[in-house]
Amino acid sequence: MSYFEIIGGRKLNGEIEVKGAKNAALKAVAAALLSKEKWVIANFPFIEDTNRILEMVEDLGVKVNRGDRGNKRDGERSWVEIQAKEIKKSRLNDKLTKKLRASIILAGPVLARMGEVRMHHPGGCVIGKRPIDMFLDGFQKFGAKVKWQNEHFRISAKKLRGAKIFFPKITVTGTETTMMTAVLADGETILENAAMEPEIPMLAEFLNKCGAKIRGAGTPTIIIKGLKKIGGGILKLIPDRIETGTFAILGALAGSRIKIKKCDPDHIRALLVNLERAGVRFEEKKDELIVWGAKNLKPVNIVTHEYPGFATDLQPPFTLLMTQAHGASLVHDAIFDGRLMFTDILNLMGADIIMHDSHRATVHGKTKLHGRKIASPDLRAGITLVLAGLIAEGKTRIENIYQIDRGYERIEERLQKLGANITRRK
Ligand code: EPU
Protein backbone atom coordinates (compact mmCIF):
# COMPACT_ATOMS: atom_id res chain seq x y z
CA MET A 1 0.00 0.00 0.00
CA SER A 2 1.37 3.42 -0.95
CA TYR A 3 2.00 6.06 1.69
CA PHE A 4 3.38 9.59 1.83
CA GLU A 5 6.58 10.35 3.65
CA ILE A 6 6.99 13.99 4.56
CA ILE A 7 9.91 15.77 6.20
CA GLY A 8 8.42 18.89 7.70
CA GLY A 9 9.68 22.36 8.26
CA ARG A 10 10.62 23.55 4.78
CA LYS A 11 9.48 27.01 3.67
CA LEU A 12 7.49 26.72 0.48
CA ASN A 13 7.75 29.12 -2.38
CA GLY A 14 6.57 29.36 -5.98
CA GLU A 15 3.49 28.67 -8.06
CA ILE A 16 0.79 26.01 -7.96
CA GLU A 17 -2.06 25.53 -10.43
CA VAL A 18 -5.56 24.61 -9.40
CA LYS A 19 -7.20 21.72 -11.28
CA GLY A 20 -10.78 21.54 -12.51
CA ALA A 21 -13.35 21.11 -9.75
CA LYS A 22 -13.87 17.51 -8.60
CA ASN A 23 -17.42 18.12 -7.50
CA ALA A 24 -18.25 19.79 -10.82
CA ALA A 25 -16.60 16.98 -12.82
CA LEU A 26 -18.63 14.25 -11.09
CA LYS A 27 -21.92 16.00 -11.87
CA ALA A 28 -20.90 16.82 -15.44
CA VAL A 29 -20.17 13.14 -16.13
CA ALA A 30 -23.63 12.22 -14.82
CA ALA A 31 -25.33 15.00 -16.78
CA ALA A 32 -23.67 13.78 -19.99
CA LEU A 33 -25.95 10.74 -19.74
CA LEU A 34 -28.96 12.98 -20.35
CA SER A 35 -27.85 13.46 -23.96
CA LYS A 36 -27.35 11.09 -26.89
CA GLU A 37 -24.81 13.53 -28.29
CA LYS A 38 -21.14 13.90 -27.42
CA TRP A 39 -20.12 15.87 -24.34
CA VAL A 40 -16.51 16.97 -23.99
CA ILE A 41 -15.61 17.93 -20.43
CA ALA A 42 -12.43 20.01 -20.42
CA ASN A 43 -10.15 20.95 -17.50
CA PHE A 44 -11.07 17.50 -16.18
CA PRO A 45 -9.26 16.34 -13.01
CA PHE A 46 -7.99 12.75 -13.26
CA ILE A 47 -8.36 11.67 -9.64
CA GLU A 48 -9.69 8.51 -8.00
CA ASP A 49 -13.28 9.80 -7.59
CA THR A 50 -13.59 10.90 -11.22
CA ASN A 51 -12.00 7.61 -12.35
CA ARG A 52 -14.66 5.73 -10.36
CA ILE A 53 -17.57 7.66 -11.89
CA LEU A 54 -16.15 7.19 -15.41
CA GLU A 55 -15.87 3.45 -14.70
CA MET A 56 -19.50 3.45 -13.56
CA VAL A 57 -20.58 5.15 -16.78
CA GLU A 58 -18.55 2.68 -18.86
CA ASP A 59 -20.12 -0.16 -16.90
CA LEU A 60 -23.51 1.11 -18.15
CA GLY A 61 -22.25 0.60 -21.70
CA VAL A 62 -21.52 4.26 -22.43
CA LYS A 63 -18.48 5.24 -24.50
CA VAL A 64 -15.82 7.26 -22.67
CA ASN A 65 -12.64 8.61 -24.21
CA ARG A 66 -10.03 9.94 -21.77
CA GLY A 67 -7.53 12.56 -22.89
CA ASP A 68 -5.02 13.49 -20.27
CA ARG A 69 -2.13 14.59 -22.42
CA GLY A 70 -3.37 14.56 -25.99
CA ASN A 71 -4.83 17.37 -28.06
CA LYS A 72 -6.10 20.41 -26.25
CA ARG A 73 -9.88 20.79 -25.87
CA ASP A 74 -11.13 24.28 -25.12
CA GLY A 75 -7.54 25.26 -24.29
CA GLU A 76 -7.16 22.37 -21.84
CA ARG A 77 -5.00 19.26 -22.15
CA SER A 78 -7.05 17.31 -19.70
CA TRP A 79 -10.51 16.23 -20.89
CA VAL A 80 -12.95 13.40 -21.34
CA GLU A 81 -15.44 12.70 -24.09
CA ILE A 82 -18.66 10.94 -23.19
CA GLN A 83 -21.31 9.89 -25.62
CA ALA A 84 -24.36 8.11 -24.24
CA LYS A 85 -25.98 7.23 -27.58
CA GLU A 86 -27.52 4.41 -25.65
CA ILE A 87 -27.36 3.25 -22.06
CA LYS A 88 -27.21 -0.53 -21.98
CA LYS A 89 -28.41 -1.26 -18.44
CA SER A 90 -30.21 0.41 -15.59
CA ARG A 91 -28.34 -1.31 -12.74
CA LEU A 92 -25.43 0.71 -11.32
CA ASN A 93 -22.33 -1.34 -10.48
CA ASP A 94 -22.51 -2.40 -6.82
CA LYS A 95 -18.81 -2.36 -6.02
CA LEU A 96 -18.31 1.14 -7.44
CA THR A 97 -21.53 2.49 -5.91
CA LYS A 98 -20.30 1.41 -2.48
CA LYS A 99 -17.02 3.30 -3.05
CA LEU A 100 -18.49 6.62 -4.13
CA ARG A 101 -21.19 8.65 -2.40
CA ALA A 102 -21.58 10.74 -5.57
CA SER A 103 -22.75 7.65 -7.48
CA ILE A 104 -26.28 8.71 -6.49
CA ILE A 105 -26.09 11.51 -9.10
CA LEU A 106 -26.19 8.90 -11.86
CA ALA A 107 -29.63 7.80 -10.63
CA GLY A 108 -31.47 10.82 -12.07
CA PRO A 109 -30.11 10.72 -15.64
CA VAL A 110 -30.35 6.90 -15.84
CA LEU A 111 -33.95 7.03 -14.57
CA ALA A 112 -34.81 9.79 -17.04
CA ARG A 113 -33.29 7.90 -20.00
CA MET A 114 -34.25 4.30 -19.08
CA GLY A 115 -37.43 4.64 -17.03
CA GLU A 116 -35.70 2.71 -14.26
CA VAL A 117 -32.58 2.68 -12.14
CA ARG A 118 -31.39 0.04 -9.68
CA MET A 119 -28.59 0.68 -7.25
CA HIS A 120 -27.01 -0.20 -3.93
CA HIS A 121 -27.10 2.39 -1.15
CA PRO A 122 -24.14 4.67 -1.99
CA GLY A 123 -21.00 4.56 0.14
CA GLY A 124 -18.12 7.06 0.33
CA CYS A 125 -16.43 9.38 2.83
CA VAL A 126 -16.83 8.67 6.54
CA ILE A 127 -17.69 12.21 7.57
CA GLY A 128 -20.98 11.49 9.29
CA LYS A 129 -24.47 10.41 8.35
CA ARG A 130 -25.19 10.74 4.64
CA PRO A 131 -28.84 9.87 4.04
CA ILE A 132 -30.41 10.01 0.58
CA ASP A 133 -34.02 10.66 1.63
CA MET A 134 -34.24 13.96 -0.26
CA PHE A 135 -33.18 12.28 -3.53
CA LEU A 136 -35.79 9.57 -3.10
CA ASP A 137 -38.49 12.12 -2.18
CA GLY A 138 -37.54 14.08 -5.29
CA PHE A 139 -37.83 11.05 -7.58
CA GLN A 140 -41.23 10.24 -6.06
CA LYS A 141 -42.41 13.80 -6.69
CA PHE A 142 -41.47 13.29 -10.36
CA GLY A 143 -43.89 10.34 -10.27
CA ALA A 144 -41.37 7.51 -9.80
CA LYS A 145 -41.92 4.48 -7.58
CA VAL A 146 -39.17 3.66 -5.11
CA LYS A 147 -38.71 0.11 -3.82
CA TRP A 148 -36.09 -0.78 -1.21
CA GLN A 149 -34.91 -4.31 -0.62
CA ASN A 150 -31.68 -5.72 0.83
CA GLU A 151 -29.79 -2.40 0.71
CA HIS A 152 -30.85 -1.99 -2.94
CA PHE A 153 -33.20 0.52 -4.53
CA ARG A 154 -35.32 0.15 -7.58
CA ILE A 155 -36.64 3.47 -8.82
CA SER A 156 -38.94 3.35 -11.80
CA ALA A 157 -41.29 5.56 -13.78
CA LYS A 158 -42.90 5.13 -17.19
CA LYS A 159 -42.89 8.89 -17.49
CA LEU A 160 -41.39 11.60 -15.29
CA ARG A 161 -43.60 14.62 -14.62
CA GLY A 162 -42.31 18.07 -13.62
CA ALA A 163 -42.84 18.77 -9.92
CA LYS A 164 -42.62 21.39 -7.22
CA ILE A 165 -39.91 20.34 -4.78
CA PHE A 166 -39.00 22.18 -1.59
CA PHE A 167 -35.82 20.81 0.01
CA PRO A 168 -36.30 20.60 3.79
CA LYS A 169 -32.52 21.00 4.10
CA ILE A 170 -30.12 22.48 1.57
CA THR A 171 -28.46 19.66 -0.38
CA VAL A 172 -25.83 20.18 -3.06
CA THR A 173 -26.00 16.84 -4.85
CA GLY A 174 -29.75 16.62 -4.23
CA THR A 175 -30.23 19.96 -6.02
CA GLU A 176 -28.02 18.86 -8.91
CA THR A 177 -29.67 15.46 -9.29
CA THR A 178 -33.22 16.79 -9.32
CA MET A 179 -32.21 19.63 -11.65
CA MET A 180 -30.76 17.11 -14.12
CA THR A 181 -33.74 14.79 -13.86
CA ALA A 182 -36.14 17.69 -14.45
CA VAL A 183 -34.43 18.49 -17.77
CA LEU A 184 -36.04 15.38 -19.31
CA ALA A 185 -39.29 15.40 -17.27
CA ASP A 186 -42.58 16.43 -18.77
CA GLY A 187 -43.56 20.02 -17.89
CA GLU A 188 -42.20 22.51 -15.39
CA THR A 189 -40.19 21.79 -12.23
CA ILE A 190 -39.63 24.30 -9.47
CA LEU A 191 -36.88 23.62 -6.94
CA GLU A 192 -37.04 25.69 -3.77
CA ASN A 193 -34.45 26.08 -1.01
CA ALA A 194 -31.95 24.86 -3.59
CA ALA A 195 -28.19 24.85 -3.00
CA MET A 196 -26.21 27.71 -4.61
CA GLU A 197 -22.68 26.24 -4.89
CA PRO A 198 -20.89 27.61 -8.02
CA GLU A 199 -20.83 24.13 -9.58
CA ILE A 200 -24.63 24.37 -9.94
CA PRO A 201 -24.89 27.48 -12.17
CA MET A 202 -21.90 26.15 -14.14
CA LEU A 203 -23.79 22.95 -14.93
CA ALA A 204 -27.07 24.78 -15.62
CA GLU A 205 -25.38 27.19 -18.04
CA PHE A 206 -23.93 24.31 -19.99
CA LEU A 207 -27.18 22.33 -19.99
CA ASN A 208 -28.83 25.48 -21.38
CA LYS A 209 -26.21 25.61 -24.15
CA CYS A 210 -27.27 22.05 -24.96
CA GLY A 211 -30.86 23.25 -25.28
CA ALA A 212 -32.19 22.85 -21.72
CA LYS A 213 -34.36 25.55 -20.20
CA ILE A 214 -33.14 26.25 -16.68
CA ARG A 215 -33.55 29.57 -14.86
CA GLY A 216 -32.36 30.66 -11.44
CA ALA A 217 -29.44 28.26 -10.88
CA GLY A 218 -27.17 29.87 -8.28
CA THR A 219 -30.22 31.20 -6.39
CA PRO A 220 -32.52 29.31 -3.98
CA THR A 221 -35.22 28.90 -6.64
CA ILE A 222 -34.51 27.00 -9.85
CA ILE A 223 -37.13 26.61 -12.57
CA ILE A 224 -36.71 23.97 -15.26
CA LYS A 225 -38.88 23.45 -18.32
CA GLY A 226 -38.69 19.83 -19.40
CA LEU A 227 -37.69 18.72 -22.89
CA LYS A 228 -37.61 15.45 -24.86
CA LYS A 229 -33.88 15.65 -25.60
CA ILE A 230 -30.80 17.83 -25.29
CA GLY A 231 -27.63 18.19 -27.39
CA GLY A 232 -23.89 18.16 -26.71
CA GLY A 233 -20.83 20.39 -26.78
CA ILE A 234 -17.72 21.34 -24.79
CA LEU A 235 -18.01 22.16 -21.11
CA LYS A 236 -15.00 23.70 -19.38
CA LEU A 237 -15.00 22.98 -15.66
CA ILE A 238 -14.54 25.77 -13.17
CA PRO A 239 -11.44 25.63 -10.94
CA ASP A 240 -11.69 23.55 -7.78
CA ARG A 241 -12.51 26.00 -5.00
CA ILE A 242 -11.58 23.52 -2.27
CA GLU A 243 -8.10 23.06 -3.78
CA THR A 244 -7.82 26.85 -4.01
CA GLY A 245 -8.74 27.30 -0.36
CA THR A 246 -6.50 24.45 0.78
CA PHE A 247 -3.51 25.94 -1.06
CA ALA A 248 -4.27 29.37 0.44
CA ILE A 249 -4.15 27.83 3.94
CA LEU A 250 -0.95 26.00 2.97
CA GLY A 251 0.52 29.36 1.93
CA ALA A 252 -0.36 30.88 5.31
CA LEU A 253 1.03 27.89 7.23
CA ALA A 254 4.18 26.99 5.33
CA GLY A 255 4.75 29.49 2.58
CA SER A 256 7.10 32.33 2.23
CA ARG A 257 5.12 33.36 -0.88
CA ILE A 258 2.86 31.07 -2.87
CA LYS A 259 1.07 32.06 -6.07
CA ILE A 260 -2.08 30.03 -6.70
CA LYS A 261 -2.86 30.08 -10.40
CA LYS A 262 -5.97 29.27 -12.46
CA CYS A 263 -8.33 29.80 -9.53
CA ASP A 264 -11.38 31.95 -8.77
CA PRO A 265 -10.89 33.81 -5.45
CA ASP A 266 -14.57 34.87 -5.50
CA HIS A 267 -15.54 31.24 -4.87
CA ILE A 268 -13.73 31.17 -1.51
CA ARG A 269 -14.80 34.58 -0.23
CA ALA A 270 -15.89 33.26 3.20
CA LEU A 271 -12.47 31.67 3.70
CA LEU A 272 -10.61 34.79 2.55
CA VAL A 273 -12.54 36.99 4.99
CA ASN A 274 -11.57 34.66 7.82
CA LEU A 275 -7.94 34.42 6.70
CA GLU A 276 -7.87 38.21 6.82
CA ARG A 277 -9.28 38.17 10.35
CA ALA A 278 -6.58 35.67 11.31
CA GLY A 279 -3.93 38.07 10.03
CA VAL A 280 -2.99 36.28 6.81
CA ARG A 281 -1.71 38.54 4.05
CA PHE A 282 -2.83 37.83 0.49
CA GLU A 283 -3.37 39.57 -2.80
CA GLU A 284 -6.01 38.53 -5.28
CA LYS A 285 -6.40 38.96 -9.00
CA LYS A 286 -9.14 37.67 -11.28
CA ASP A 287 -7.74 34.15 -11.53
CA GLU A 288 -4.78 34.25 -9.15
CA LEU A 289 -4.18 34.44 -5.45
CA ILE A 290 -0.84 35.20 -3.80
CA VAL A 291 -0.52 34.22 -0.15
CA TRP A 292 2.33 35.05 2.23
CA GLY A 293 3.29 32.96 5.24
CA ALA A 294 1.68 34.32 8.41
CA LYS A 295 3.83 35.05 11.44
CA ASN A 296 1.44 35.97 14.23
CA LEU A 297 -1.84 34.24 13.55
CA LYS A 298 -4.89 35.35 15.52
CA PRO A 299 -7.60 32.89 16.60
CA VAL A 300 -10.86 33.07 14.65
CA ASN A 301 -14.16 31.28 15.32
CA ILE A 302 -15.84 29.71 12.30
CA VAL A 303 -19.16 28.04 11.55
CA THR A 304 -19.49 26.09 8.32
CA HIS A 305 -22.45 26.93 6.14
CA GLU A 306 -23.85 26.23 2.71
CA TYR A 307 -22.43 28.39 -0.11
CA PRO A 308 -21.63 31.28 -0.03
CA GLY A 309 -20.83 30.53 3.63
CA PHE A 310 -17.70 28.86 4.95
CA ALA A 311 -17.32 25.52 3.10
CA THR A 312 -17.35 22.41 5.31
CA ASP A 313 -14.69 20.96 2.99
CA LEU A 314 -12.31 23.75 4.12
CA GLN A 315 -13.01 23.26 7.81
CA PRO A 316 -10.28 20.60 8.37
CA PRO A 317 -7.38 22.67 6.95
CA PHE A 318 -8.70 25.80 8.71
CA THR A 319 -8.80 23.87 12.00
CA LEU A 320 -5.15 22.99 11.41
CA LEU A 321 -4.38 26.66 10.73
CA MET A 322 -5.92 27.54 14.09
CA THR A 323 -3.49 25.20 15.88
CA GLN A 324 -0.86 27.77 14.85
CA ALA A 325 -2.81 30.82 16.09
CA HIS A 326 -2.15 32.34 19.52
CA GLY A 327 -5.27 31.68 21.60
CA ALA A 328 -8.50 29.69 21.46
CA SER A 329 -10.79 29.37 18.47
CA LEU A 330 -14.13 27.60 18.19
CA VAL A 331 -14.74 25.50 15.10
CA HIS A 332 -18.35 24.55 14.45
CA ASP A 333 -19.07 22.18 11.55
CA ALA A 334 -22.80 22.63 11.13
CA ILE A 335 -23.12 20.47 7.99
CA PHE A 336 -21.67 17.03 8.86
CA ASP A 337 -21.41 15.30 12.22
CA GLY A 338 -18.20 13.35 11.62
CA ARG A 339 -15.92 15.99 10.25
CA LEU A 340 -14.05 16.81 13.44
CA MET A 341 -13.02 13.25 14.27
CA PHE A 342 -9.67 13.77 12.55
CA THR A 343 -8.71 16.28 15.26
CA ASP A 344 -7.69 13.24 17.35
CA ILE A 345 -4.90 12.70 14.83
CA LEU A 346 -3.79 16.34 15.04
CA ASN A 347 -3.72 15.91 18.83
CA LEU A 348 -1.45 12.88 18.39
CA MET A 349 0.87 15.20 16.47
CA GLY A 350 0.87 17.70 19.34
CA ALA A 351 -2.22 19.88 18.79
CA ASP A 352 -4.53 20.80 21.67
CA ILE A 353 -8.07 20.42 20.36
CA ILE A 354 -11.03 19.60 22.59
CA MET A 355 -14.22 18.29 21.05
CA HIS A 356 -17.40 19.46 22.80
CA ASP A 357 -19.72 17.33 20.69
CA SER A 358 -19.67 15.86 17.19
CA HIS A 359 -20.09 19.33 15.61
CA ARG A 360 -17.94 21.62 17.77
CA ALA A 361 -14.35 21.80 18.95
CA THR A 362 -12.07 24.37 20.56
CA VAL A 363 -8.55 24.66 19.22
CA HIS A 364 -5.95 25.98 21.65
CA GLY A 365 -2.86 27.43 20.03
CA LYS A 366 -0.14 27.85 19.32
CA THR A 367 1.14 24.29 19.45
CA LYS A 368 4.21 22.68 17.94
CA LEU A 369 3.40 19.66 15.76
CA HIS A 370 5.59 16.55 15.55
CA GLY A 371 5.83 14.05 12.73
CA ARG A 372 4.04 10.71 13.36
CA LYS A 373 2.85 7.62 11.57
CA ILE A 374 -0.79 8.32 10.82
CA ALA A 375 -3.52 7.33 8.35
CA SER A 376 -5.89 9.44 6.34
CA PRO A 377 -9.50 8.93 7.51
CA ASP A 378 -11.15 10.78 4.60
CA LEU A 379 -10.38 13.12 1.73
CA ARG A 380 -10.37 16.58 3.34
CA ALA A 381 -8.91 15.34 6.63
CA GLY A 382 -6.28 13.55 4.52
CA ILE A 383 -5.02 16.67 2.76
CA THR A 384 -5.04 18.45 6.12
CA LEU A 385 -2.69 15.77 7.49
CA VAL A 386 -0.40 16.42 4.51
CA LEU A 387 -0.34 20.11 5.46
CA ALA A 388 0.23 19.17 9.10
CA GLY A 389 3.17 16.96 8.05
CA LEU A 390 4.65 19.85 6.09
CA ILE A 391 4.77 22.10 9.17
CA ALA A 392 5.59 19.37 11.72
CA GLU A 393 9.00 18.75 13.14
CA GLY A 394 10.53 15.54 11.80
CA LYS A 395 9.11 12.78 9.66
CA THR A 396 5.43 12.06 9.03
CA ARG A 397 4.18 8.91 7.35
CA ILE A 398 0.60 9.07 6.03
CA GLU A 399 -1.10 5.81 5.11
CA ASN A 400 -4.41 5.18 3.34
CA ILE A 401 -3.56 7.85 0.76
CA TYR A 402 -6.20 6.52 -1.63
CA GLN A 403 -8.39 8.91 0.36
CA ILE A 404 -6.18 11.84 -0.68
CA ASP A 405 -5.84 10.64 -4.29
CA ARG A 406 -9.66 10.68 -4.46
CA GLY A 407 -9.59 14.47 -4.74
CA TYR A 408 -6.09 15.83 -5.43
CA GLU A 409 -4.32 14.96 -8.67
CA ARG A 410 -0.65 13.95 -8.17
CA ILE A 411 -0.52 16.18 -5.13
CA GLU A 412 3.02 15.20 -4.10
CA GLU A 413 4.49 16.30 -7.46
CA ARG A 414 2.73 19.67 -7.25
CA LEU A 415 3.89 20.23 -3.67
CA GLN A 416 7.45 19.19 -4.54
CA LYS A 417 7.52 22.05 -7.07
CA LEU A 418 6.92 24.42 -4.15
CA GLY A 419 9.92 22.94 -2.34
CA ALA A 420 8.05 20.44 -0.13
CA ASN A 421 9.86 17.30 0.98
CA ILE A 422 7.10 14.78 0.28
CA THR A 423 7.54 11.39 -1.37
CA ARG A 424 5.08 8.71 -2.42
CA ARG A 425 6.43 5.35 -1.30
CA LYS A 426 5.22 1.80 -1.74
N1 EPU B 1 -28.71 15.27 3.62
C1 EPU B 1 -29.83 14.61 4.06
N2 EPU B 1 -30.57 13.91 3.15
C2 EPU B 1 -30.25 13.86 1.83
C3 EPU B 1 -29.10 14.54 1.38
C4 EPU B 1 -28.35 15.24 2.31
O1 EPU B 1 -30.15 14.65 5.25
O2 EPU B 1 -30.99 13.20 1.07
C5 EPU B 1 -27.92 16.05 4.60
C6 EPU B 1 -26.48 15.55 4.71
O3 EPU B 1 -26.38 14.46 5.59
C7 EPU B 1 -25.77 16.78 5.21
C8 EPU B 1 -26.51 17.92 4.53
O4 EPU B 1 -27.77 17.37 4.11
O5 EPU B 1 -25.92 16.90 6.60
C9 EPU B 1 -25.83 18.50 3.33
O6 EPU B 1 -25.43 17.47 2.46
P1 EPU B 1 -25.34 17.65 0.88
O7 EPU B 1 -26.36 16.78 0.26
O8 EPU B 1 -25.32 19.10 0.55
O9 EPU B 1 -23.90 17.03 0.62
P2 EPU B 1 -23.49 16.24 -0.67
O10 EPU B 1 -24.17 16.79 -1.83
O11 EPU B 1 -23.57 14.79 -0.40
C10 EPU B 1 -21.53 17.75 -1.46
C11 EPU B 1 -20.08 17.53 -1.75
C12 EPU B 1 -19.33 17.37 -0.43
C13 EPU B 1 -19.55 18.61 0.41
C14 EPU B 1 -21.05 18.84 0.63
C15 EPU B 1 -21.38 20.10 1.37
C16 EPU B 1 -20.13 16.39 -3.85
C17 EPU B 1 -19.90 15.12 -4.59
N3 EPU B 1 -19.92 16.34 -2.55
O12 EPU B 1 -21.96 16.58 -0.76
O13 EPU B 1 -17.97 17.26 -0.77
O14 EPU B 1 -18.91 18.47 1.64
O15 EPU B 1 -21.71 18.90 -0.66
O16 EPU B 1 -20.87 21.19 0.70
O17 EPU B 1 -20.47 17.40 -4.43
C18 EPU B 1 -15.78 16.45 -0.60
O18 EPU B 1 -15.58 16.89 -1.74
O19 EPU B 1 -14.86 16.04 0.15
C19 EPU B 1 -17.15 16.39 -0.10
C20 EPU B 1 -17.51 15.62 0.92
Side-chain angles (χ1 to χ4, degrees), residues 22-24 26-27 49 101-102 104-105 125 127-136 169-176 195 197 199 241-242 305-307 311-313 334-337 339 378-380 406:
K22 164 179 88 79
N23 288 343
L26 294 169
K27 322 309 166 58
D49 272 12
R101 155 87 186 173
I104 182 79
I105 47 171
C125 248
I127 55 176
K129 285 186 226 84
R130 314 235 5 219
I132 56 167
D133 53 309
M134 290 192 274
F135 295 81
L136 301 179
K169 192 171 177 183
I170 297 176
T171 163
V172 178
T173 313
T175 299
E176 291 160 325
E197 271 65 8
E199 293 77 23
R241 63 197 160 89
I242 307 304
H305 196 280
E306 294 86 3
Y307 191 83
T312 166
D313 294 343
I335 309 285
F336 292 113
D337 56 10
R339 269 230 151 136
D378 68 74
L379 170 59
R380 307 303 176 188
R406 284 183 44 216

Side-chain angles (χ1 to χ4, degrees), residues 242-422:
I242 307 304
E243 262 204 10
T244 308
T246 305
F247 296 157
I249 293 171
L250 172 68
L253 279 170
S256 43
R257 178 183 183 273
I258 291 184
K259 186 192 267 189
I260 305 164
K261 293 175 70 171
K262 288 177 83 174
C263 64
D264 188 339
D266 272 340
H267 289 169
I268 53 160
R269 189 58 53 205
L271 171 71
L272 291 180
V273 166
N274 283 294
L275 286 180
E276 205 165 16
R277 288 167 67 210
V280 177
R281 192 158 71 90
F282 58 85
E283 190 184 301
E284 56 179 290
K285 299 198 177 132
K286 193 171 156 277
D287 57 2
E288 272 179 15
L289 188 64
I290 301 168
V291 184
W292 283 268
K295 287 205 179 65
N296 280 308
L297 282 166
K298 290 183 278 231
V300 173
N301 300 337
I302 57 152
V303 185
T304 67
H305 196 280
E306 294 86 3
Y307 191 83
F310 194 104
T312 166
D313 294 343
L314 287 173
Q315 174 273 109
F318 196 84
T319 300
L320 170 67
L321 183 74
M322 288 299 99
T323 67
Q324 302 308 301
H326 297 271
S329 41
L330 181 70
V331 175
H332 181 171
D333 198 309
I335 309 285
F336 292 113
D337 56 10
R339 269 230 151 136
L340 285 165
M341 299 303 187
F342 83 102
T343 55
D344 275 358
I345 308 175
L346 289 185
N347 284 345
L348 272 178
M349 296 177 79
D352 179 4
I353 304 172
I354 296 169
M355 268 183 74
H356 304 294
D357 55 46
S358 59
H359 287 280
R360 294 173 313 136
T362 297
V363 185
H364 295 277
K366 175 180 181 173
T367 46
K368 208 178 186 117
L369 302 186
H370 308 279
R372 289 290 295 250
K373 183 175 162 191
I374 50 184
S376 166
D378 68 74
L379 170 59
R380 307 303 176 188
I383 193 71
T384 301
L385 296 179
V386 170
L387 269 49
L390 291 173
I391 60 164
E393 207 174 64
K395 194 195 281 182
T396 297
R397 171 179 169 139
I398 306 179
E399 301 188 334
N400 198 24
I401 59 176
Y402 175 83
Q403 286 297 333
I404 301 168
D405 292 334
R406 284 183 44 216
Y408 300 88
E409 193 178 312
R410 294 199 295 268
I411 189 65
E412 73 283 15
E413 291 173 21
R414 294 154 77 202
L415 293 174
Q416 282 158 5
K417 285 199 185 122
L418 294 174
N421 188 338
I422 173 170

Side-chain angles (χ1 to χ4, degrees), residues 203-215:
L203 180 61
E205 266 168 41
F206 183 67
L207 283 166
N208 284 345
K209 274 195 195 152
C210 296
K213 298 213 166 355
I214 305 173
R215 281 186 289 135

